[in-house]
Amino acid sequence: HPNRISELSEEEVKNMSESEKSRCCTHEGITYVCKDDDYKKEMDYLKEKVDAGADFIITQMFFDAEVFKTFVEDCRTWGINCPVVPGLMCINAYPGFKKMTKFCKTRVPKALEEKMDSMK
């Protein structure tokens, strides 16, 4: 949930856990992350929704396959065994890509970011 994504101070960035480092993203020099305690709450809530009858999960858009793989692994660890459908966004133009990745606080792999920046 977007309300669970925190903007971190420089001190908080230095003290992130390894799992937080794997989930964080940086936009315009600001680091964002779903902190471990909040991530656990989100996963618990997702498990409740699946237990209540959800047939599948659709993720937010992502461009880093490792983030998706880790999320699916975490789902399985939480006992969430329904299909997880990747949320994708077609890249139509540089401005839209930058706007949406910032708005959604989406991690962008360095190689993709460099490629997109070269096509401004």
Side-chain angles (χ1 to χ4, degrees):
H1 192 274
N3 294 339
R4 298 267 189 215
I5 298 175
S6 302
E7 182 178 316
L8 302 183
S9 68
E10 287 182 28
E11 187 65 28
E12 289 174 310
V13 170
K14 293 176 189 173
N15 295 314
M16 281 192 297
S17 69
E18 288 305 311
S19 59
E20 288 171 340
K21 288 176 186 175
S22 73
R23 289 191 307 272
C24 74
C25 67
T26 302
H27 291 281
E28 297 178 354
I30 300 169
T31 300
Y32 301 92
V33 71
C34 184
K35 294 181 180 180
D36 288 336
D37 288 343
D38 289 332
Y39 188 74
K40 181 186 180 313
K41 290 175 189 171
E42 288 298 300
M43 294 302 291
D44 289 343
Y45 181 56
L46 184 58
K47 172 77 167 123
E48 288 177 22
K49 292 195 284 187
V50 170
D51 289 348
D55 294 322
F56 61 95
I57 297 164
I58 301 175
T59 71
Q60 277 195 336
M61 70 168 187
F62 66 90
F63 294 101
D64 188 333
E66 290 303 314
V67 171
F68 178 73
K69 286 171 43 178
T70 299
F71 176 70
V72 173
E73 290 168 4
D74 290 348
C75 284
R76 301 309 179 239
T77 299
W78 253 263
I80 300 168
N81 295 306
C82 65
V84 180
V85 179
L88 304 176
M89 179 186 113
C90 295
I91 301 172
N92 294 319
Y94 180 82
F97 169 78
K98 294 300 276 187
K99 180 180 178 180
M100 287 305 295
T101 55
K102 181 180 177 187
F103 177 74
C104 296
K105 298 173 180 71
T106 303
R107 174 182 276 205
V108 179
K110 186 133 184 89
L112 176 59
E113 185 173 13
E114 289 171 354
K115 182 68 172 176
M116 292 303 297
D117 286 346
S118 75
M119 300 187 316
K120 286 184 197 180

